[in-house]
Amino acid sequence: MKKVIHFSKFFPAAVVLSAVLIVSGIVSLCVRGMNWGLEFKPGQNIQVSVAVETDSDKIAELLTSNKINASVKSAGDENTYQVRTESGESVENAVKSVIAEKYGNENVVIEQSQSISAQFSKSLIRDSIVLVLATLVLIFAYTLFRFKWDAALGSVIAVIHDTLIMISFFTWSQLEFTTTSIAAILTIIGYSINATVVILDRVRSDMKIVEAKSFKDILDSSLTATLSRSVITTITTLFAVLALVVFTTGDIKNFAIALVVGLISGCYSSLFIAGAFIATVRKHWKPVAVLPKANVRSEEESE
């Protein structure tokens, strides 16, 4: 019989560790704040066309070297770029002057310029929060349809845990928080809930065939059976994400760094956080008759 790892022994320590990390993140958020990207600040949105070969990274470096804080993205059309800067009366002229000095005045055209108000920036933050909350509600509805309420709530708690860990990381590292960061959080929410659902499926299956004296024994058996899947999936995904960290720059690199943190947190929470909540709710669980297909010794008997 395959040796069962007693994950439940580590549930209290895992909860304490997560609580410390999240509380420290909240303290950091209150003290240091978030390094908001230009998308979340009032400023100027400038669309510029450059008639020579270049790219957004080169233009961003050019502006930064001239002390102009700006984010630059391709606008879709060839040689057209969207430059987002902080507010300033002469910012449009400054951007054109710097780019024209490098590529020639005849090759640079400001196609449009739009001022972004503080109210719009605040609404973007609010909409981002609503988007994440709506995602959590839909996940709870989905898991509630498939599992019992405690398993559904446990899976949502695990996802909230991952979201808070990623936000804490942004406050600790002062990595720029942009709309790409929101995309990273939503990506990890999807990854984490998938990993948790796989484990919950195994738990539901083991309840029918595993002979155990407590629900922790069921969890230990299920977590042991799915451990290799959880770890291998996380590691193989990390290989691809780490490649992005090493070989890319700008928003893509920040996106990949956030994914690294989220992937590790997602694997951890699916193994320990969701299980800890379910084990607490079902601490008075009593076994029913099961099919004689498997047998798991209780934690007390194995010691």
Side-chain angles (χ1 to χ4, degrees), residues 184-232:
I185 291 175
L186 293 175
T187 300
I188 292 303
I189 286 177
Y191 170 87
S192 180
I193 192 61
N194 179 68
T196 305
V197 164
V198 169
I199 294 173
L200 294 179
D201 267 331
R202 184 60 187 241
V203 170
R204 182 169 56 185
S205 175
D206 283 353
M207 287 178 66
K208 301 176 182 177
I209 62 174
V210 173
E211 186 177 336
K213 292 186 176 181
S214 71
F215 197 77
K216 286 184 178 180
D217 295 332
I218 300 288
L219 285 172
D220 289 337
S221 175
S222 301
L223 291 171
T224 300
T226 56
L227 177 63
S228 59
R229 181 264 176 202
S230 299
V231 172
I232 291 173

Side-chain angles (χ1 to χ4, degrees), residues 36 38 41 63-64 66-71 83-86 91 176:
W36 297 106
L38 291 172
K41 296 177 181 178
L63 294 173
T64 301
N66 284 272
K67 298 182 180 180
I68 298 178
N69 185 19
S71 66
V83 180
R84 179 70 186 270
T85 68
E86 295 179 348
V91 65
E176 190 176 49

Side-chain angles (χ1 to χ4, degrees), residues 30-245:
C30 295
V31 174
R32 303 177 65 188
M34 188 77 76
N35 181 20
W36 297 106
L38 291 172
E39 296 96 327
F40 296 101
K41 296 177 181 178
Q44 199 78 8
N45 204 19
I46 305 168
Q47 186 166 308
V48 57
S49 175
V50 183
V52 295
E53 185 176 352
T54 185
D55 58 49
S56 58
D57 289 337
K58 291 179 180 178
I59 293 177
E61 291 174 4
L62 178 63
L63 294 173
T64 301
S65 64
N66 284 272
K67 298 182 180 180
I68 298 178
N69 185 19
S71 66
V72 183
K73 298 178 182 178
S74 175
D77 297 334
E78 187 177 2
N79 298 329
T80 302
Y81 304 93
Q82 187 179 60
V83 180
R84 179 70 186 270
T85 68
E86 295 179 348
S87 299
E89 294 181 359
S90 60
V91 65
E92 181 181 335
N93 292 332
V95 168
K96 181 177 180 180
S97 176
V98 169
I99 299 176
E101 183 179 352
K102 174 71 174 179
Y103 299 107
N105 189 63
E106 70 281 2
N107 295 319
V108 179
V109 177
I110 300 293
E111 296 185 346
Q112 65 178 28
S113 180
Q114 182 180 17
S115 178
I116 307 298
S117 67
Q119 184 177 0
F120 177 82
S121 299
K122 290 179 181 179
S123 69
L124 183 59
I125 296 175
R126 183 179 63 250
D127 291 345
S128 299
I129 294 173
V130 170
L131 178 61
V132 173
L133 292 177
T135 303
L136 294 176
V137 170
L138 291 174
I139 286 175
F140 179 69
Y142 165 71
T143 50
L144 188 60
F145 176 76
R146 291 195 59 180
F147 307 102
K148 292 186 177 180
W149 72 268
D150 53 352
L153 187 55
S155 64
V156 172
I157 289 174
V159 169
I160 293 174
H161 165 276
D162 299 331
T163 302
L164 293 177
I165 289 294
M166 293 183 72
I167 292 175
S168 298
F169 171 75
F170 277 106
T171 64
W172 297 328
S173 65
Q174 287 296 291
L175 199 67
E176 190 176 49
F177 192 90
T178 64
T179 50
T180 305
S181 306
I182 299 293
I185 291 175
L186 293 175
T187 300
I188 292 303
I189 286 177
Y191 170 87
S192 180
I193 192 61
N194 179 68
T196 305
V197 164
V198 169
I199 294 173
L200 294 179
D201 267 331
R202 184 60 187 241
V203 170
R204 182 169 56 185
S205 175
D206 283 353
M207 287 178 66
K208 301 176 182 177
I209 62 174
V210 173
E211 186 177 336
K213 292 186 176 181
S214 71
F215 197 77
K216 286 184 178 180
D217 295 332
I218 300 288
L219 285 172
D220 289 337
S221 175
S222 301
L223 291 171
T224 300
T226 56
L227 177 63
S228 59
R229 181 264 176 202
S230 299
V231 172
I232 291 173
T233 300
T234 300
I235 291 176
T236 52
T237 308
L238 276 173
F239 285 151
V241 175
L242 287 173
L244 292 176
V245 173

